[in-house]
């Protein structure tokens, strides 16, 4: 029999993740006791509706609709309600009462993380959030602790399973975006309102969290450039395939070395990008997540696995709970977040990457030279050019001679976002170009 008194654990939320956390806490109580050195006692579960049907059967006497009271009786609090309010107020209450808190709430951390970390540090408590990014995959602790003595230079993350499922389906089955989204919804990969996933908001929140930890700098979510995947066409996927790429929605966090005594800058951004087939992220299929980290001394590391799912995410939550329980027994202040590097954030226009531009042009002599001049005028140099077979078209009402049009897919060398957007404007205005079909950035290539 263990001599320490039981550690009282309060759970806020019993949805997909919370119900699995409760189940495992109850089922594996003896194992946790051996592992931690004392019993973890689940003293209550706060929900909106105690009578709602749950994924698992849990003892009805644990349910309450009074989270404040529950928190004030607990040593450790697990927040799995999601959303900003009342999660923010309840975590504040828990930290102020001296309890360590475990949360999976990326939205809350992306918007109010700095305030909560400061509070935790002030009161000597600790806020754990391994499950907030990439579900079951350990990535927060590796960045905070294992790589705490290294310098992270770049993170490329597939951190949203819904969009990875959709893009993977478009790539492997040739389905359109709408068809892939419909199937993702039927299979439970996408929510009834998929906006947060397909418009990149979920990945944006995760990018803000990853960049903040990796670069020891507060990166506000509003500073993370974001594009979703709704405009990715099946033609772009096919072009990518032909050129040896796959399209992935990436969360990109980069540290750019300052020149001539200037400080380093950081960039965090989310957009669909072309990833070379040989890159490890290209083989992340279905709803899986992966985070590819490049660190100065460690080199390249990849963290891969289930980025969501109730029981999978519960694994990360319970890992944090075990760490919190051990800290509770040992005492001492929390380890806090190191956010004091305060590196400036690179303006979006100055982001440098490579691009692939698909456009339609008249299939006439001199057109290529004219397009090449437009590229040169904007300071963007062409690296590759592929031309699809020309098609003949006649305007339905004109009775004119058919015109022949060619689709060109042009890969560029590195250029800034600013020069790229000026280039696209110039191409759209050029008489040589019928229309610009789309632009995708190329990531995961060194030059
Ligand atoms: P969920 O299924 O929607 O469950 C939310 C739970 O919180 C429900 O039990 C709900 O009570 C309770 N709740 C919500 N608002 C409340 C309020 N105002 N007062 C009291 N209780 C309230 O959510 P989830 O999918 O488990 O996600 C929980 C957290 O984990 C979120 O922050 C999410 O971003 C994060 N996360 C989830 C996953 C995943 O795969 N699901 C993966 C990674 C991270 P009722 O049951 O009574 O409605």
């Amino acid at each position: 029999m263990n001599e320490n008194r039981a550690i009282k654990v309060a759970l806020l939320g019993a949805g997909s993740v919370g119900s699995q956390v409760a189940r495992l806490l109850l089922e594996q109580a003896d194992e946790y006791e051996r592992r931690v050195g004392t019993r973890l006692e689940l003293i209550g579960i706060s929900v909106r509706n105690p009578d709602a049907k749950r994924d698992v059967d849990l003892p009805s006497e644990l349910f309450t609709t009074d989270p404040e009271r529950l928190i004030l009786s607990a040593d450790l609090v697990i927040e799995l309600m999601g959303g900003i309010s009342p999660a923010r107020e309840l975590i504040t209450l828990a930290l102020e009462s001296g309890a360590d808190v475990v949360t999976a709430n990326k939205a809350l951390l992306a918007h109010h993380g700095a305030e909560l970390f400061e509070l935790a540090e002030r009161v000597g408590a600790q806020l754990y959030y391994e499950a907030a990014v990439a579900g079951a995959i350990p990535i927060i602790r590796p960045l905070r602790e294992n790589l705490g003595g290294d310098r992270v230079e770049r993170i490329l993350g597939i951190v949203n399973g819904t969009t990875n499922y959709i893009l993977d389906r478009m790539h492997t089955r040739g389905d359109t975006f709408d068809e892939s989204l419909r199937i993702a919804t039927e299979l439970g990969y996408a929510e009834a309102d998929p906006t947060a996933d397909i418009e990149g908001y979920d990945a944006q929140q995760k990018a803000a969290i990853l960049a903040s930890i990796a670069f020891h700098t507060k990166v506000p979510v509003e500073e993370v450039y974001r594009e979703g995947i709704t405009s990715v066409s099946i033609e772009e996927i096919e072009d990518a395939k032909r050129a040896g790429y796959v399209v992935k929605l990436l969360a990109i966090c980069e540290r750019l070395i300052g020149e001539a005594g200037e400080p380093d800058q950081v960039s965090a951004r989310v957009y669909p990008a072309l990833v070379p087939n040989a890159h490890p992220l290209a083989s992340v299929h279905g709803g899986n997540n992966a985070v590819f980290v490049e660190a100065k001394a460690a080199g390249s590391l990849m963290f891969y696995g289930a980025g969501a799912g109730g029981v999978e995410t519960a694994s990360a939550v319970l890992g944090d709970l075990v760490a919190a329980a051990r800290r509770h027994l040992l005492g001492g202040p929390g380890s806090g977040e190191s956010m004091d590097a305060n590196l400036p954030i690179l303006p979006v226009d100055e982001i440098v990457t490579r691009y692939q531009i698909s456009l339609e042009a008249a299939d006439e002599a001199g057109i290529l030279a004219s397009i090449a001049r437009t590229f040169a005028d904007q300071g963007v140099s062409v690296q590759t050019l592929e031309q699809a077979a020309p098609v003949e078209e006649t305007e339905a009402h004109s009775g004119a001679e058919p015109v022949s049009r060619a689709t060109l897919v042009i890969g560029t060398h590195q250029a800034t976002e600013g020069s790229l957007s000026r280039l696209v404007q110039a191409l759209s205005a050029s008489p040589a170009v019928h229309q610009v079909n789309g632009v995708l950035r190329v990531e995961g290539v060194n030059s």
Side-chain angles (χ1 to χ4, degrees), residues 13-18 47-49 54 80-82 86 104-106 131 308-309 313:
S16 311
V17 185
V47 291
R48 276 178 299 215
N49 175 13
R54 310 269 155 209
L80 294 169
M81 309 161 88
N105 196 331
K106 65 216 143 208
T313 306

Side-chain angles (χ1 to χ4, degrees), residues 14-179:
S16 311
V17 185
S19 59
Q20 296 298 335
V21 166
R23 176 180 69 80
L24 291 167
L25 255 178
L26 296 171
E27 280 177 12
Q28 301 181 167
D30 292 345
E31 207 172 323
Y32 292 133
E33 182 169 358
R34 284 193 297 276
R35 232 174 262 176
V36 172
T38 194
R39 194 124 188 118
L40 302 184
E41 184 193 351
L42 180 59
I43 59 165
I45 307 172
S46 167
V47 291
R48 276 178 299 215
N49 175 13
D51 301 322
K53 187 155 170 32
R54 310 269 155 209
D55 295 347
V56 290
D57 281 335
L58 296 167
S60 58
E61 63 275 16
L62 284 178
F63 285 97
T64 174
T65 53
D66 187 349
E68 285 88 359
R69 198 173 154 164
L70 179 62
I71 288 168
L72 294 176
S73 316
D75 299 310
L76 303 177
V77 174
I78 307 174
E79 183 278 309
L80 294 169
M81 309 161 88
I84 305 294
S85 186
R88 180 184 181 190
E89 295 79 5
L90 294 174
I91 290 180
T92 301
L93 175 69
L95 292 170
E96 281 173 342
S97 79
D100 280 0
V101 174
V102 176
T103 180
N105 196 331
K106 65 216 143 208
L108 180 62
L109 291 177
H111 289 279
H112 301 288
E115 148 204 324
L116 295 171
F117 292 128
E118 272 158 28
L119 170 61
E121 195 154 358
R122 200 164 63 245
V123 300
Q126 178 102 31
L127 184 56
Y128 297 82
Y129 54 102
E130 183 60 69
V133 179
I137 304 172
I139 186 62
I140 302 297
R141 198 163 283 123
L143 287 173
R144 266 185 109 239
E145 295 175 18
N146 309 73
L147 292 169
D150 204 334
R151 175 178 281 191
V152 175
E153 294 176 326
R154 186 179 293 108
I155 298 174
L156 300 179
I158 295 172
V159 292
N160 182 274
T162 308
T163 46
N164 201 57
Y165 179 85
I166 292 170
L167 292 171
D168 190 39
R169 197 169 174 100
M170 291 171 78
H171 186 93
T172 53
R173 308 256 187 135
D175 289 346
T176 62
F177 171 81
D178 288 339
E179 178 69 356

